[in-house]
Short mmCIF file of all heavy atoms in Angstrom, two decimals:
data_model
loop_
_atom_site.label_atom_id
_atom_site.label_comp_id
_atom_site.label_asym_id
_atom_site.label_seq_id
_atom_site.Cartn_x
_atom_site.Cartn_y
_atom_site.Cartn_z
N ASP U 1 -76.16 -120.48 84.92
CA ASP U 1 -76.24 -120.56 86.43
C ASP U 1 -75.39 -121.77 86.81
O ASP U 1 -75.20 -122.72 85.99
CB ASP U 1 -77.67 -120.81 86.74
CG ASP U 1 -77.88 -120.76 88.20
OD1 ASP U 1 -78.23 -119.75 88.60
OD2 ASP U 1 -77.89 -121.89 88.82
N PRO U 2 -74.75 -121.59 87.96
CA PRO U 2 -73.92 -122.86 88.44
C PRO U 2 -74.59 -124.14 88.54
O PRO U 2 -74.03 -125.18 88.36
CB PRO U 2 -73.37 -122.37 89.73
CG PRO U 2 -74.23 -121.12 90.27
CD PRO U 2 -74.77 -120.64 88.86
N THR U 3 -75.96 -124.16 88.77
CA THR U 3 -76.76 -125.27 88.81
C THR U 3 -76.78 -126.07 87.40
O THR U 3 -77.11 -127.33 87.31
CB THR U 3 -78.08 -125.15 89.40
OG1 THR U 3 -78.82 -124.27 88.45
CG2 THR U 3 -78.04 -124.51 90.74
N GLY U 4 -76.50 -125.35 86.39
CA GLY U 4 -76.55 -125.86 85.06
C GLY U 4 -75.19 -126.04 84.58
O GLY U 4 -75.10 -126.20 83.29
N SER U 5 -74.08 -125.81 85.30
CA SER U 5 -72.79 -125.89 84.74
C SER U 5 -71.89 -126.60 85.84
O SER U 5 -71.62 -127.95 85.73
CB SER U 5 -72.25 -124.56 84.52
OG SER U 5 -72.46 -123.72 85.61
N LEU U 6 -71.40 -125.95 86.75
CA LEU U 6 -70.50 -126.57 87.74
C LEU U 6 -71.19 -127.70 88.48
O LEU U 6 -70.55 -128.74 88.65
CB LEU U 6 -70.01 -125.56 88.91
CG LEU U 6 -69.19 -126.05 89.98
CD1 LEU U 6 -67.94 -126.54 89.41
CD2 LEU U 6 -69.08 -125.07 91.01
N LEU U 7 -72.39 -127.73 88.97
CA LEU U 7 -73.04 -128.60 89.64
C LEU U 7 -73.40 -129.79 88.63
O LEU U 7 -73.31 -131.05 89.14
CB LEU U 7 -74.17 -128.32 90.36
CG LEU U 7 -73.92 -127.22 91.44
CD1 LEU U 7 -75.09 -126.97 92.35
CD2 LEU U 7 -72.77 -127.55 92.30
N VAL U 8 -73.62 -129.61 87.46
CA VAL U 8 -74.09 -130.77 86.63
C VAL U 8 -72.71 -131.66 86.40
O VAL U 8 -72.87 -132.89 86.38
CB VAL U 8 -74.46 -130.13 85.22
CG1 VAL U 8 -74.46 -131.30 84.16
CG2 VAL U 8 -75.86 -129.57 85.36
N LEU U 9 -71.61 -131.01 86.35
CA LEU U 9 -70.39 -131.74 85.87
C LEU U 9 -69.59 -132.05 87.03
O LEU U 9 -68.77 -133.02 86.89
CB LEU U 9 -69.56 -130.91 84.86
CG LEU U 9 -70.29 -130.64 83.46
CD1 LEU U 9 -69.56 -129.70 82.88
CD2 LEU U 9 -70.51 -131.83 82.84
N TRP U 10 -69.61 -131.44 88.17
CA TRP U 10 -68.74 -131.55 89.23
C TRP U 10 -69.50 -131.82 90.68
O TRP U 10 -68.89 -132.02 91.69
CB TRP U 10 -67.73 -130.50 89.46
CG TRP U 10 -66.84 -130.43 88.21
CD1 TRP U 10 -66.94 -129.47 87.21
CD2 TRP U 10 -65.58 -131.23 88.03
NE1 TRP U 10 -66.00 -129.70 86.34
CE2 TRP U 10 -65.16 -130.74 86.68
CE3 TRP U 10 -65.14 -132.18 88.61
CZ2 TRP U 10 -63.89 -131.38 86.28
CZ3 TRP U 10 -63.92 -132.83 88.13
CH2 TRP U 10 -63.37 -132.35 87.01
N GLY U 11 -70.83 -131.60 90.70
CA GLY U 11 -71.60 -131.55 91.93
C GLY U 11 -71.86 -132.94 92.46
O GLY U 11 -71.30 -133.91 91.94
N PRO U 12 -72.65 -133.00 93.65
CA PRO U 12 -72.71 -134.27 94.28
C PRO U 12 -73.43 -135.41 93.48
O PRO U 12 -73.34 -136.61 93.82
CB PRO U 12 -73.59 -133.95 95.56
CG PRO U 12 -74.19 -132.49 95.19
CD PRO U 12 -73.16 -131.81 94.33
N GLU U 13 -74.21 -134.98 92.56
CA GLU U 13 -74.97 -135.98 91.62
C GLU U 13 -74.24 -136.19 90.29
O GLU U 13 -74.74 -137.07 89.51
CB GLU U 13 -76.33 -135.53 91.37
CG GLU U 13 -77.29 -135.28 92.55
CD GLU U 13 -77.59 -136.59 93.33
OE1 GLU U 13 -77.47 -137.62 92.66
OE2 GLU U 13 -77.86 -136.62 94.52
N SER U 14 -73.14 -135.64 90.21
CA SER U 14 -72.28 -135.70 88.89
C SER U 14 -71.72 -137.11 88.66
O SER U 14 -71.32 -137.83 89.61
CB SER U 14 -71.26 -134.65 88.66
OG SER U 14 -70.21 -134.79 89.76
N ASP U 15 -71.28 -137.50 87.45
CA ASP U 15 -70.48 -138.52 87.12
C ASP U 15 -69.20 -138.47 87.82
O ASP U 15 -68.53 -139.47 88.13
CB ASP U 15 -70.48 -138.76 85.66
CG ASP U 15 -71.70 -139.29 84.97
OD1 ASP U 15 -72.56 -139.82 85.85
OD2 ASP U 15 -71.94 -138.95 83.87
N ALA U 16 -68.62 -137.27 87.71
CA ALA U 16 -67.22 -136.99 88.39
C ALA U 16 -66.99 -137.54 89.76
O ALA U 16 -66.11 -138.07 90.03
CB ALA U 16 -66.83 -135.55 88.17
N GLN U 17 -68.20 -137.31 90.41
CA GLN U 17 -68.22 -137.67 91.88
C GLN U 17 -68.60 -139.06 92.14
O GLN U 17 -68.31 -139.78 93.11
CB GLN U 17 -68.95 -136.66 92.70
CG GLN U 17 -68.32 -135.38 93.00
CD GLN U 17 -68.89 -134.65 94.33
OE1 GLN U 17 -69.11 -135.27 95.17
NE2 GLN U 17 -69.17 -133.41 94.09
N ASN U 18 -69.36 -139.54 91.22
CA ASN U 18 -70.05 -140.96 91.42
C ASN U 18 -69.61 -141.93 90.47
O ASN U 18 -68.45 -142.66 90.83
CB ASN U 18 -71.52 -140.74 91.25
CG ASN U 18 -72.08 -139.96 92.37
OD1 ASN U 18 -72.36 -140.34 93.54
ND2 ASN U 18 -72.45 -138.61 91.96
N SER U 19 -70.10 -142.20 89.29
CA SER U 19 -69.74 -143.42 88.43
C SER U 19 -68.30 -143.33 88.02
O SER U 19 -67.50 -144.31 87.93
CB SER U 19 -70.59 -143.50 87.28
OG SER U 19 -70.50 -142.31 86.57
N HIS U 20 -67.71 -142.09 87.75
CA HIS U 20 -66.35 -142.03 87.27
C HIS U 20 -65.21 -141.97 88.43
O HIS U 20 -64.12 -142.22 88.21
CB HIS U 20 -66.22 -140.80 86.45
CG HIS U 20 -66.96 -140.87 85.05
ND1 HIS U 20 -67.35 -139.77 84.48
CD2 HIS U 20 -67.40 -141.92 84.50
CE1 HIS U 20 -68.09 -140.03 83.47
NE2 HIS U 20 -68.19 -141.44 83.36
N LYS U 21 -65.70 -141.49 89.70
CA LYS U 21 -64.92 -141.48 90.78
C LYS U 21 -63.72 -140.76 90.63
O LYS U 21 -62.52 -141.13 90.98
CB LYS U 21 -64.68 -142.90 91.31
CG LYS U 21 -65.99 -143.69 91.56
CD LYS U 21 -65.66 -145.00 92.27
CE LYS U 21 -66.94 -145.94 92.43
NZ LYS U 21 -67.86 -145.20 93.19
N LEU U 22 -63.79 -139.56 90.02
CA LEU U 22 -62.66 -138.67 89.69
C LEU U 22 -62.43 -137.62 90.92
O LEU U 22 -61.34 -137.19 90.95
CB LEU U 22 -62.80 -137.97 88.47
CG LEU U 22 -62.80 -138.90 87.15
CD1 LEU U 22 -63.32 -137.99 86.01
CD2 LEU U 22 -61.42 -139.56 86.89
N TYR U 23 -63.44 -137.28 91.61
CA TYR U 23 -63.48 -136.08 92.46
C TYR U 23 -64.10 -136.42 93.74
O TYR U 23 -65.36 -136.79 93.81
CB TYR U 23 -64.12 -135.04 91.85
CG TYR U 23 -64.35 -133.66 92.59
CD1 TYR U 23 -63.30 -133.31 93.59
CD2 TYR U 23 -65.43 -132.97 92.44
CE1 TYR U 23 -63.65 -132.24 94.38
CE2 TYR U 23 -65.61 -131.67 93.27
CZ TYR U 23 -64.65 -131.38 94.14
OH TYR U 23 -64.91 -130.27 94.86
N THR U 24 -63.34 -136.44 94.84
CA THR U 24 -63.80 -136.54 96.26
C THR U 24 -63.94 -135.16 96.83
O THR U 24 -62.79 -134.48 97.07
CB THR U 24 -62.90 -137.41 97.13
OG1 THR U 24 -62.82 -138.75 96.49
CG2 THR U 24 -63.48 -137.52 98.50
N ALA U 25 -65.12 -134.61 96.86
CA ALA U 25 -65.34 -133.16 97.15
C ALA U 25 -65.28 -132.90 98.66
O ALA U 25 -65.55 -133.81 99.48
CB ALA U 25 -66.56 -132.66 96.56
N ASN U 26 -65.00 -131.64 99.00
CA ASN U 26 -65.07 -131.21 100.41
C ASN U 26 -66.60 -131.42 100.64
O ASN U 26 -67.39 -130.84 99.99
CB ASN U 26 -64.55 -129.71 100.40
CG ASN U 26 -64.59 -129.19 101.79
OD1 ASN U 26 -65.57 -129.35 102.64
ND2 ASN U 26 -63.55 -128.59 102.20
N PRO U 27 -66.87 -131.86 101.82
CA PRO U 27 -68.31 -132.13 102.25
C PRO U 27 -69.01 -130.76 102.24
O PRO U 27 -70.31 -130.68 101.89
CB PRO U 27 -68.20 -132.75 103.62
CG PRO U 27 -66.96 -133.48 103.62
CD PRO U 27 -65.92 -132.52 102.78
N GLU U 28 -68.44 -129.63 102.62
CA GLU U 28 -69.13 -128.47 102.60
C GLU U 28 -69.47 -127.87 101.25
O GLU U 28 -70.61 -127.44 100.94
CB GLU U 28 -68.24 -127.31 103.25
CG GLU U 28 -68.97 -126.03 103.47
CD GLU U 28 -68.10 -124.90 103.87
OE1 GLU U 28 -66.90 -125.08 104.22
OE2 GLU U 28 -68.45 -123.74 103.95
N PHE U 29 -68.70 -128.22 100.25
CA PHE U 29 -69.06 -127.99 98.83
C PHE U 29 -70.44 -128.70 98.47
O PHE U 29 -71.36 -128.08 97.87
CB PHE U 29 -67.97 -128.42 97.91
CG PHE U 29 -68.23 -128.23 96.43
CD1 PHE U 29 -68.05 -127.01 95.70
CD2 PHE U 29 -68.73 -129.44 95.68
CE1 PHE U 29 -68.41 -126.96 94.37
CE2 PHE U 29 -68.88 -129.28 94.27
CZ PHE U 29 -68.78 -128.02 93.70
N ASN U 30 -70.57 -129.96 98.72
CA ASN U 30 -71.68 -130.69 98.35
C ASN U 30 -72.94 -130.25 99.20
O ASN U 30 -74.01 -130.16 98.72
CB ASN U 30 -71.41 -132.14 98.56
CG ASN U 30 -70.62 -132.83 97.58
OD1 ASN U 30 -70.34 -132.18 96.48
ND2 ASN U 30 -70.12 -134.12 97.87
N GLU U 31 -72.78 -129.78 100.38
CA GLU U 31 -73.79 -129.39 101.32
C GLU U 31 -74.32 -127.97 100.73
O GLU U 31 -75.62 -127.77 100.56
CB GLU U 31 -73.45 -129.19 102.62
CG GLU U 31 -74.52 -129.01 103.66
CD GLU U 31 -75.46 -130.12 103.77
OE1 GLU U 31 -75.18 -131.34 103.55
OE2 GLU U 31 -76.70 -129.85 103.90
N LEU U 32 -73.45 -127.17 100.35
CA LEU U 32 -73.80 -125.82 99.86
C LEU U 32 -74.52 -125.95 98.44
O LEU U 32 -75.30 -125.05 98.10
CB LEU U 32 -72.64 -124.98 99.72
CG LEU U 32 -72.04 -124.30 101.07
CD1 LEU U 32 -70.74 -123.58 100.75
CD2 LEU U 32 -73.12 -123.47 101.53
N SER U 33 -74.21 -126.93 97.73
CA SER U 33 -74.92 -127.11 96.36
C SER U 33 -76.37 -127.28 96.52
O SER U 33 -77.16 -126.90 95.66
CB SER U 33 -74.26 -128.20 95.60
OG SER U 33 -74.56 -129.51 96.26
N LYS U 34 -76.75 -128.01 97.59
CA LYS U 34 -78.17 -128.12 97.86
C LYS U 34 -78.88 -126.79 98.08
O LYS U 34 -79.97 -126.52 97.59
CB LYS U 34 -78.49 -129.11 99.04
CG LYS U 34 -77.84 -130.52 98.83
CD LYS U 34 -77.94 -131.30 100.26
CE LYS U 34 -77.20 -132.71 99.95
NZ LYS U 34 -77.19 -133.40 101.33
N ALA U 35 -78.28 -125.98 98.87
CA ALA U 35 -78.78 -124.73 99.08
C ALA U 35 -78.89 -123.83 97.87
O ALA U 35 -79.78 -123.07 97.70
CB ALA U 35 -77.99 -123.88 100.25
N LEU U 36 -77.90 -123.91 96.99
CA LEU U 36 -77.86 -123.12 95.77
C LEU U 36 -79.11 -123.49 94.77
O LEU U 36 -79.68 -122.63 94.15
CB LEU U 36 -76.62 -123.42 95.01
CG LEU U 36 -76.27 -122.47 93.93
CD1 LEU U 36 -75.99 -121.00 94.55
CD2 LEU U 36 -74.92 -122.78 93.13
N TYR U 37 -79.53 -124.72 94.92
CA TYR U 37 -80.60 -125.14 93.93
C TYR U 37 -81.93 -124.51 94.54
O TYR U 37 -82.84 -124.25 93.75
CB TYR U 37 -80.72 -126.63 94.04
CG TYR U 37 -80.01 -127.53 93.00
CD1 TYR U 37 -78.88 -128.20 93.41
CD2 TYR U 37 -80.34 -127.42 91.75
CE1 TYR U 37 -78.00 -128.91 92.49
CE2 TYR U 37 -79.52 -128.16 90.70
CZ TYR U 37 -78.48 -128.86 91.17
OH TYR U 37 -77.74 -129.56 90.25
N THR U 38 -82.09 -124.43 95.80
CA THR U 38 -83.38 -124.05 96.33
C THR U 38 -83.39 -122.49 96.81
O THR U 38 -84.58 -121.98 96.74
CB THR U 38 -83.72 -124.89 97.62
OG1 THR U 38 -82.66 -124.63 98.60
CG2 THR U 38 -83.80 -126.31 97.21
N GLU U 39 -82.31 -121.93 96.99
CA GLU U 39 -82.42 -120.57 97.36
C GLU U 39 -82.69 -119.66 96.26
O GLU U 39 -82.27 -119.68 95.10
CB GLU U 39 -81.13 -119.99 98.01
CG GLU U 39 -80.95 -118.60 98.43
CD GLU U 39 -81.96 -118.27 99.47
OE1 GLU U 39 -82.01 -118.94 100.56
OE2 GLU U 39 -82.90 -117.46 99.30
N SER U 40 -83.81 -118.69 96.45
CA SER U 40 -84.24 -117.83 95.41
C SER U 40 -83.82 -116.40 95.57
O SER U 40 -83.75 -115.62 94.44
CB SER U 40 -85.80 -117.84 95.37
OG SER U 40 -86.30 -117.42 96.65
N ASP U 41 -83.26 -115.94 96.70
CA ASP U 41 -82.68 -114.66 96.86
C ASP U 41 -81.39 -114.47 96.22
O ASP U 41 -80.38 -115.22 96.50
CB ASP U 41 -82.68 -114.39 98.46
CG ASP U 41 -82.11 -112.96 98.56
OD1 ASP U 41 -82.93 -111.90 98.61
OD2 ASP U 41 -80.89 -112.75 98.78
N PRO U 42 -81.31 -113.53 95.24
CA PRO U 42 -79.97 -113.43 94.46
C PRO U 42 -78.82 -113.07 95.36
O PRO U 42 -77.67 -113.63 95.12
CB PRO U 42 -80.27 -112.20 93.53
CG PRO U 42 -81.76 -112.30 93.34
CD PRO U 42 -82.28 -112.68 94.68
N ALA U 43 -78.93 -112.21 96.46
CA ALA U 43 -77.82 -111.85 97.20
C ALA U 43 -77.31 -113.10 97.99
O ALA U 43 -76.16 -113.44 98.11
CB ALA U 43 -78.21 -110.78 98.17
N LYS U 44 -78.25 -113.85 98.45
CA LYS U 44 -77.90 -115.15 99.25
C LYS U 44 -77.22 -116.13 98.31
O LYS U 44 -76.25 -116.81 98.56
CB LYS U 44 -79.20 -115.72 100.03
CG LYS U 44 -79.55 -114.84 101.06
CD LYS U 44 -80.72 -115.49 101.81
CE LYS U 44 -81.19 -114.52 102.84
NZ LYS U 44 -82.59 -115.25 103.60
N ARG U 45 -77.76 -116.22 97.12
CA ARG U 45 -77.25 -117.17 96.18
C ARG U 45 -75.72 -116.83 95.79
O ARG U 45 -74.92 -117.58 95.54
CB ARG U 45 -78.13 -117.34 94.90
CG ARG U 45 -79.44 -117.99 95.13
CD ARG U 45 -80.10 -118.25 93.74
NE ARG U 45 -79.66 -119.66 93.23
CZ ARG U 45 -79.31 -119.74 92.08
NH1 ARG U 45 -79.16 -118.77 91.11
NH2 ARG U 45 -78.98 -120.99 91.61
N ARG U 46 -75.63 -115.46 95.78
CA ARG U 46 -74.25 -115.04 95.35
C ARG U 46 -73.18 -115.37 96.38
O ARG U 46 -72.07 -115.76 96.17
CB ARG U 46 -74.29 -113.47 95.12
CG ARG U 46 -72.97 -112.79 94.73
CD ARG U 46 -73.11 -111.27 94.78
NE ARG U 46 -71.79 -110.69 94.64
CZ ARG U 46 -71.18 -110.36 93.59
NH1 ARG U 46 -71.81 -110.59 92.41
NH2 ARG U 46 -70.07 -109.74 93.44
N THR U 47 -73.59 -115.22 97.63
CA THR U 47 -72.75 -115.51 98.75
C THR U 47 -72.43 -117.00 98.78
O THR U 47 -71.28 -117.37 99.02
CB THR U 47 -73.39 -115.07 100.06
OG1 THR U 47 -73.64 -113.72 100.11
CG2 THR U 47 -72.58 -115.32 101.28
#
């Protein structure tokens, strides 16, 4: 699942965005990551 891969390594709480300061993400990317964690409907999560 992306919450256990992309978001772990590149998401808003990741080292890449924070302590290592390697990635300044598009704000929309970080905002959508929150919805991906909580949304349970598979079709909505896919979108």
Side-chain angles (χ1 to χ4, degrees):
D1 188 89
T3 61
S5 50
L6 177 65
L7 297 193
V8 167
L9 297 172
W10 297 98
E13 299 292 337
S14 68
D15 289 338
Q17 288 201 41
N18 294 282
S19 59
H20 298 152
K21 301 187 185 306
L22 297 169
Y23 175 33
T24 300
N26 184 313
E28 185 185 354
F29 173 84
N30 283 347
E31 191 62 33
L32 286 172
S33 72
K34 300 173 185 175
L36 197 65
Y37 273 109
T38 58
E39 180 58 62
S40 57
D41 181 81
K44 291 180 180 178
R45 295 190 85 231
R46 178 185 172 92
T47 300

